[in-house]
């Protein structure tokens, strides 16, 4: 009998050490080392070669044959576009997100919307009855679920055996943190178990040319739980974002070996599941009848997709002595920077006032082009003066008070014009814009904070 081997693993990054460390030498996390017992694994055929068990041979690069990757359509335009045209055969996809955000709902909608694809749905967290209740809520047709097979199992070896017998077109694992292999003595969810299970599923996906979708938990910091190697070995990493108390969700591509990561998909959580939002601008622009102060519309671009979002600001006298700074869906540090620019370059005394900022729809934005809309909303609330109706903003604000240009300005103008906006404020240094767009919407260039103040006060 071989001697039992023990090791210490960091639960944050997966760093392995032979002894306990108070602070991880790799990521610097404190008190994150957990001891795990590693059993000696039996020799497996796949260890001799690559996936097929045969010894691989080096091939000159010019002799490598190239063909377009075969893709599987999921009958979901948003997800297909995010993946680059569909799910690639033999790929390993990791879907992460907060609890209750809609990961299991989306993964179950995939087989229900693709009745022509035989799907094996493996659940380690829910019973078959719970999954059936969700399926009844998502679809009213019993025929849509005829090719969806439910397996409530956590032992990896049993899952792979059923997959080989069933030979499905797609496998969904919910979730990877609940799976474990009998070759290891550590508990499910540990670093070694997640790493081993992911590697075995990757081997199966490449050998059988079957795509596998893994659902992953996230930590309180927002990163996917488990070792970082989990995100390295998968082909695609998708992240669900949004507030679980709000109805809108963003599915963002973090990594994609078969397409671009400059894409996102927006969904709305309804009673019967996730609904695709083909035009997010229509739900993110103002929904009030009369003009109100402190509201500005930003023409932003996330990835390659332009859409308009409503920015709401409230400036009031500090009632408790120390002014408050609160931002929802926007970087609080960037808000403090914009407030400092307004005070230093424009002369507004905002240091003695409370400032609250909110992005409509519960979305998180990081496009610098939102700076001008945030600044305009703050000034509008400070003066209690509504902005010009049907106008939007798209520019970055610099530390010197200058208004800087942003990329894809023609796309932003076209999106604003398509939604019926009459004017858009951009940087004076944006260069030439499409002349055909300028005829349908008024493009107002601004150079600095002074020009913005004149535009808001109606003297532009």
């Amino acid at each position: 009998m071989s001697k039992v081997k023990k090791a210490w693993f960091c639960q944050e990054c997966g760093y392995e050490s032979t002894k306990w460390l108070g602070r991880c030498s790799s990521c610097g996390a404190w008190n994150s080392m957990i001891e795990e017992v590693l059993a000696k694994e039996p020799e497996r055929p796949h260890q001799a070669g690559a996936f097929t068990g045969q010894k691989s041979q080096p091939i000159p690069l010019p002799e490598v044959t190239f063909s377009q990757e075969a893709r599987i359509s999921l009958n979901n335009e948003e997800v297909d576009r995010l993946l680059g045209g569909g799910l690639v055969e033999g790929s390993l996809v990791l879907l992460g997100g907060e609890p209750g955000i809609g990961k299991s709902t989306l993964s179950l909608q995939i087989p229900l919307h693709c009745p022509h694809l035989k799907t094996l749905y493996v659940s380690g967290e829910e019973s078959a009855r719970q999954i059936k209740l969700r399926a009844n809520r998502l679809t009213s047709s019993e025929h849509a679920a005829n090719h969806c097979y439910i397996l409530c199992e956590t032992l990896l070896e049993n899952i792979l055996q059923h997959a080989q017998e069933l030979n499905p077109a797609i496998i969904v694992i919910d979730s990877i943190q609940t799976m474990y292999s009998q070759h290891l003595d550590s508990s499910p969810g540990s670093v070694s178990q997640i790493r081993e299970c992911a590697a075995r599923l990757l081997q199966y996906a490449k050998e059988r040319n079957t795509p596998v979708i893994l659902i992953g938990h996230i930590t309180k910091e927002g990163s996917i739980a488990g070792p970082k190697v989990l995100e390295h070995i998968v082909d695609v990493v998708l992240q669900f974002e949004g507030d679980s108390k709000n109805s809108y969700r963003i599915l963002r591509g973090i990594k994609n070996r078969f397409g671009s990561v400059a894409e996102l998909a927006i969904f709305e959580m309804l009673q019967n599941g996730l609904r695709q939002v083909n035009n997010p601008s229509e739900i993110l622009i103002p929904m009030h009848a009369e003009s109100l102060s402190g509201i500005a519309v930003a023409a932003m671009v996330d990835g390659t997709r332009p859409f308009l979002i409503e920015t709401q600001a409230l400036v009031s006298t500090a009632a408790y002595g120390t002014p408050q700074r609160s931002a929802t869906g926007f970087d609080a540090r960037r808000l403090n920077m914009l407030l400092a620019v307004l005070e230093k370059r424009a002369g507004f005394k905002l240091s003695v006032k409370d400032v609250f900022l909110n992005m409509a729809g519960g979305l998180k934005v990081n496009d610098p082009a939102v700076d001008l809309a945030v600044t305009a909303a703050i000034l509008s609330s400070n003066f209690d003066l509504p902005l010009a109706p049907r106008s939007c903003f798209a520019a970055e604000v610099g530390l010197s008070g200058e208004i800087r240009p942003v990329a894809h300005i023609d796309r932003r103008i076209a999106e604003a014009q398509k939604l019926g906006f009459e004017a858009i404020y951009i940087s004076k240094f944006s260069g030439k814009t499409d002349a055909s767009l300028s005829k349908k919407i008024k493009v107002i260039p601004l150079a600095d904070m002074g020009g913005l103040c004149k535009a808001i006060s109606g003297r532009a």
Side-chain angles (χ1 to χ4, degrees):
M1 182 177 179
S2 60
K3 184 179 179 181
V4 177
K5 180 184 177 182
K6 297 182 179 181
W8 293 84
F9 289 92
C10 175
Q11 296 298 297
E12 298 292 336
C13 66
Y15 175 75
E16 180 179 355
S17 174
T18 57
K19 61 181 181 179
W20 180 83
L21 300 174
R23 184 182 184 186
C24 176
S25 303
S26 177
C27 65
W30 290 92
N31 299 324
S32 61
M33 306 299 293
I34 302 296
E35 185 182 22
E36 297 180 8
V37 178
L38 305 180
K40 184 178 179 181
E41 298 183 27
E43 294 293 332
R44 293 196 294 268
H46 75 273
Q47 292 179 341
F51 303 119
T52 59
Q54 301 178 357
K55 190 174 182 179
S56 58
Q57 298 292 336
I59 304 175
L61 183 60
E63 298 181 9
V64 177
T65 59
F66 175 80
S67 60
Q68 191 70 22
E69 296 287 350
R71 295 181 180 268
I72 302 174
S73 175
L74 301 179
N75 288 340
N76 190 310
E77 296 180 4
E78 293 293 296
V79 178
D80 285 345
R81 180 178 53 81
L82 184 63
L83 294 173
L87 192 62
V88 176
E89 295 182 355
S91 62
L92 191 61
V93 180
L94 177 61
L95 175 62
E98 296 181 355
I101 201 70
K103 303 185 298 297
S104 299
T105 300
L106 178 62
S107 60
L108 187 57
Q109 281 187 212
I110 290 176
L112 295 180
H113 291 172
C114 301
H116 60 286
L117 298 176
K118 183 187 294 186
T119 306
L120 177 60
Y121 188 96
V122 183
S123 176
E125 302 177 348
E126 297 177 303
S127 65
R129 294 186 61 186
Q130 290 175 302
I131 300 175
K132 175 64 175 179
L133 290 174
R134 182 186 292 117
N136 291 339
R137 179 170 53 87
L138 297 179
T139 180
S140 58
S141 175
E142 289 290 340
H143 300 287
N146 288 339
H147 291 80
C148 181
Y149 294 83
I150 306 299
L151 176 62
C152 298
E153 181 62 73
T154 57
L155 181 59
L156 180 64
E157 284 72 21
N158 291 344
I159 295 172
L160 295 178
Q161 180 181 356
H162 286 292
Q164 292 176 357
E165 296 173 355
L166 188 62
N167 192 24
I170 301 176
I171 298 178
V172 180
I173 305 294
D174 185 11
S175 64
I176 185 62
Q177 279 81 11
T178 60
M179 303 295 136
Y180 73 97
S181 173
Q182 62 184 3
H183 297 297
L184 301 178
D185 291 341
S186 55
S187 60
S190 61
V191 172
S192 55
Q193 285 286 3
I194 294 177
R195 181 172 52 199
E196 173 68 12
C197 293
R200 297 278 296 278
L201 289 170
L202 174 66
Q203 176 199 352
Y204 176 86
K206 301 303 180 184
E207 283 182 348
R208 306 296 292 266
N209 207 28
T210 302
V212 179
I213 300 176
L214 307 178
I215 297 179
H217 300 164
I218 66 171
T219 62
K220 60 182 180 180
E221 289 81 13
S223 59
I224 297 178
K228 201 67 177 178
V229 69
L230 176 62
E231 300 180 46
H232 285 291
I233 66 176
V234 300
D235 298 310
V236 181
V237 179
L238 303 179
Q239 184 83 12
F240 242 136
E241 300 176 358
D243 188 0
S244 59
K245 300 178 182 179
N246 201 290
S247 60
Y248 300 113
R249 309 284 192 269
I250 288 183
L251 185 61
R252 191 185 306 273
I254 307 299
K255 172 187 176 182
N256 192 351
R257 289 174 177 164
F258 308 108
S260 173
V261 295
E263 294 288 348
L264 61 87
I266 298 182
F267 298 90
E268 183 182 7
M269 178 63 78
L270 302 176
Q271 184 66 25
N272 57 350
L274 291 167
R275 182 186 69 87
Q276 305 178 53
V277 179
N278 297 322
N279 188 4
S281 298
E282 295 181 356
I283 63 174
L284 300 177
I285 58 178
M287 298 181 182
H288 45 80
E290 57 181 351
S291 299
L292 302 175
S293 62
I295 295 178
V297 178
M300 61 174 293
V301 172
D302 202 323
T304 59
R305 188 174 191 176
F307 58 89
L308 275 65
I309 183 171
E310 179 181 302
T311 302
Q312 303 171 347
L314 176 62
V315 179
S316 62
T317 305
Y320 301 101
T322 303
Q324 301 182 59
R325 301 286 186 265
S326 176
T328 303
F330 191 76
D331 189 1
R333 293 174 295 181
R334 194 162 189 88
L335 173 61
N336 292 330
M337 183 201 76
L338 295 176
L339 293 176
V341 170
L342 286 174
E343 184 155 352
K344 178 70 175 181
R345 305 300 179 184
F348 296 103
K349 301 300 181 182
L350 299 176
S351 59
V352 295
K353 295 185 178 181
D354 295 336
V355 179
F356 303 94
L357 185 67
N358 177 55
M359 296 294 162
L363 303 182
K364 297 179 181 179
V365 300
N366 53 11
D367 188 0
V370 186
D371 288 355
L372 189 60
V374 170
T375 306
I378 292 174
L379 293 177
S380 173
S381 178
N382 184 51
F383 295 134
D384 197 17
L385 183 65
L387 298 175
R390 312 304 298 172
S391 63
C392 58
F393 302 82
E396 181 183 358
V397 177
L399 290 177
S400 299
E402 78 279 10
I403 298 179
R404 304 172 61 86
V406 291
H408 309 298
I409 190 62
D410 285 337
R411 293 184 183 178
R412 305 173 196 266
I413 298 176
E415 182 71 13
Q417 183 269 329
K418 183 177 66 174
L419 293 175
F421 280 77
E422 300 174 356
I424 180 171
Y425 295 86
I426 65 173
S427 172
K428 183 180 179 180
F429 312 101
S430 296
K432 294 183 178 180
T433 58
D434 192 348
S436 60
L437 296 174
S438 302
K439 296 178 181 179
K440 301 178 182 179
I441 185 174
K442 186 178 181 181
V443 178
I444 304 174
L446 301 176
D448 51 23
M449 286 288 99
L452 177 63
C453 295
K454 291 180 180 179
I456 293 177
S457 60
R459 297 192 301 268

